[in-house]
Amino acid sequence: YPQFSVTSRLNAPPLTPGGKFHLFAKSAFDPFELVLAGLQAGSDQAEDEFPAYGQGAKGFGERYAADFGDTVSAGFFSNYFWPVLLREDPRYFRLGEGTFKHRFVYSLEQEFVCRTDKGGRFFNLSNVLGAFSAGALSNSYHPQADRGVALTARGASYALFYGSVVGLLSEFAVDISKKMHKHGKEN
């Protein structure tokens, strides 16, 4: 999976507003995200999630557009809009060393603790506000019957959960890759 927003440089300089926009755009329109939206739309269709969309190609297309819209808006708000406004760094700063437990906890904390553009650490308002902003925006394009506070809360909780999983992958992907290549060379 793409890791555009991951850095192993713990002392990396802060991103400019343009750099934050580039990060958002590169991440949001990566082919991996297009495929992921398709998988989510297929799952939603199979479970008849948002039944007002209907079934068939039209229903799948509408679900795909909504799922992709959710992804793009979450990235826009969490990686660009709020980070620029609040001067927070949207990147994941990979530790890459230490005990498994320490790195595991660190990776989960990153969903709620960020680095500021001045180099300090602070509650990740950009991420939380981004999740809720994207969830609220989804009320404008999801079916009328499914709109409301529940849709917003659901979207925000999915975004925060997904972010936590991505944090875990970001922290340990290099280690997993090294182990896989090491085992491959032994055969």
Side-chain angles (χ1 to χ4, degrees):
Y1 75 98
Q3 294 189 319
F4 303 120
S5 63
V6 178
T7 180
S8 293
R9 292 183 55 201
L10 296 178
N11 62 346
L15 293 173
T16 63
K20 291 173 185 179
F21 183 81
H22 180 75
L23 174 63
F24 147 69
K26 192 170 185 174
S27 298
F29 300 103
D30 183 77
F32 178 81
E33 294 298 336
L34 299 170
V35 170
L36 199 58
L39 293 171
Q40 183 62 51
S43 173
D44 289 349
Q45 181 134 345
E47 295 174 13
D48 202 22
E49 190 73 28
F50 307 113
Y53 286 141
Q55 290 293 317
K58 181 179 181 294
F60 177 81
E62 289 178 359
R63 285 179 178 89
Y64 183 89
D67 287 329
F68 186 65
D70 289 347
T71 298
V72 171
S73 64
F76 174 79
F77 287 116
S78 295
N79 292 331
Y80 174 68
F81 180 81
W82 289 114
V84 168
L85 196 65
L86 299 172
R87 295 182 175 96
E88 295 179 349
D89 197 320
R91 293 176 290 183
Y92 179 90
F93 290 84
R94 184 174 178 275
L95 276 180
E97 58 184 38
T99 66
F100 173 81
K101 180 181 175 184
H102 176 69
R103 290 174 65 197
F104 182 86
V105 171
Y106 170 86
S107 69
L108 295 177
E109 285 175 352
Q110 297 318 289
E111 193 66 11
F112 301 100
V113 178
C114 70
R115 181 170 296 180
T116 66
D117 288 347
K118 290 184 178 181
R121 295 178 54 80
F122 192 71
F123 180 75
N124 199 341
L125 282 170
S126 296
N127 208 32
V128 174
L129 289 173
F132 280 96
S133 297
L137 179 62
S138 69
N139 278 291
S140 68
Y141 53 83
H142 277 278
Q144 183 72 36
D146 296 306
R147 295 179 186 169
V149 174
L151 179 65
T152 301
R154 181 178 133 184
S157 63
Y158 281 172
L160 293 170
F161 174 76
Y162 175 73
S164 295
V165 170
V166 169
L168 284 168
L169 290 173
S170 297
E171 184 61 39
F172 293 104
V174 172
D175 302 284
I176 293 167
S177 178
K178 284 180 182 177
K179 283 195 185 277
M180 289 175 62
H181 289 346
K182 184 179 177 181
H183 288 301
K185 290 179 182 178
E186 292 173 1
N187 292 336

